[in-house]
Amino acid sequence: MRQEHFPAIPPTDWLGKWAASITDYSISAISLEGRVLTWNPGGEVIHGYRPDEVIGQPIGDFYTQGDRHRGLPATGLERARQVGRHDTEGWRVRKDGTVFWASELLTALYAQDGQIDGFARIVRDMTDSKRAHDAVLESERRFRVLVDGVTDYAIFMLSPDGAVTNWNSGAQRIKGYAAQEIIGSHFSRFYTPEDAAAGLPQRALEAAARDGRFDAEGWRVRKDGTHF
């Protein structure tokens, strides 16, 4: 079988061609002093700068004023220098002054003698993911506020083995326990001793796990020992 030989392409050429073809990521080489040495099309798309506008500029220009005052650009470079990489998320600034939520990776680049020769900086715009995540958190916060404001129903969550994990104001009114008194306790304490001994709490958990829900009526016990 004839074996074909292809000319070897230096890794730097491969890396350069790869970076030049990427628009979803800002990929740049950074000097030891923290200045931009190279700039790919993704950098222009994400940050808004043309290569001639940004090459030679400090990476601190991409950070918010508050982060610059806290020394985050220098901290990131020093972390990458010490351990080889620094991976973080945070607000970054575009040329027009608007901000976006970025996933940023700084990786140390080494010369043949093993000394650090600079850094590679890879940035992705994660603003949409950040907004979606924040929307979920806000929805959960509003739901917790809504649930906690319900006083006609005891609403609380259980772990898979039946331990109480949260407690609303309705549960405190109906059962008599404050949250700090009951969270972490097993919900079987709400059953009469006879029902607990007969295994009703465990059967309720098993049915809910198997069928997705469990409905029942029966006597339950308040903190003061009275039944309802």
Side-chain angles (χ1 to χ4, degrees):
M1 180 182 294
R2 181 184 175 187
Q3 185 174 5
E4 296 189 38
H5 295 277
F6 298 94
I9 299 178
T12 53
D13 289 351
W14 279 109
L15 291 174
K17 290 179 180 179
W18 172 71
S21 68
I22 298 295
T23 58
D24 294 337
Y25 294 84
S26 172
I27 303 171
S28 54
I30 307 298
S31 72
L32 287 172
E33 298 76 24
R35 294 186 177 273
V36 177
L37 300 176
T38 65
W39 198 245
N40 81 319
E44 186 167 353
V45 170
I46 292 174
H47 289 285
Y49 293 96
R50 299 189 310 272
D52 61 291
E53 295 175 311
V54 76
I55 289 177
Q57 299 303 310
I59 63 170
D61 290 354
F62 307 131
Y63 287 71
T64 65
Q65 184 175 3
D67 285 348
R68 291 199 300 271
H69 286 166
R70 286 189 290 272
L72 263 61
T75 299
L77 290 172
E78 183 59 28
R79 180 68 176 169
R81 184 180 285 108
Q82 290 179 354
V83 302
R85 62 181 287 151
H86 178 64
D87 200 346
T88 188
E89 290 190 3
W91 293 109
R92 298 295 180 265
V93 183
R94 298 187 181 92
K95 175 185 174 181
D96 62 7
T98 59
V99 295
F100 66 98
W101 188 259
S103 170
E104 179 175 357
L105 172 64
L106 282 169
T107 304
L109 302 176
Y110 298 90
Q112 291 184 346
D113 61 1
Q115 298 298 310
I116 294 180
D117 199 27
F119 307 92
R121 179 176 181 266
I122 303 175
V123 175
R124 187 176 186 186
D125 186 348
M126 302 293 290
T127 306
D128 290 343
S129 297
K130 169 71 170 172
R131 287 172 177 165
H133 177 69
D134 288 350
V136 170
L137 292 181
E138 177 61 16
S139 177
E140 291 177 348
R141 185 194 68 81
R142 292 181 179 180
F143 180 73
R144 287 195 299 270
V145 170
L146 174 64
V147 167
D148 191 57
V150 174
T151 59
D152 294 336
Y153 294 86
I155 304 174
F156 53 96
M157 293 184 67
L158 302 176
S159 68
D161 60 358
V164 177
T165 60
N166 61 24
W167 196 247
N168 82 324
S169 56
Q172 181 169 343
R173 186 187 70 81
I174 292 172
K175 297 179 183 289
Y177 295 95
Q180 63 269 23
E181 296 178 299
I182 197 64
I183 289 177
S185 300
H186 197 272
F187 85 117
S188 59
R189 70 189 303 170
F190 307 138
Y191 286 71
T192 64
E194 296 78 13
D195 285 347
L200 263 63
Q202 186 59 35
R203 289 205 294 274
L205 287 176
E206 292 170 355
R210 182 185 64 247
D211 304 328
R213 61 180 293 159
F214 175 76
D215 286 323
E217 290 188 7
W219 291 109
R220 299 294 181 264
V221 182
R222 298 185 181 94
K223 176 184 176 181
D224 63 6
T226 60
H227 294 184
F228 65 97

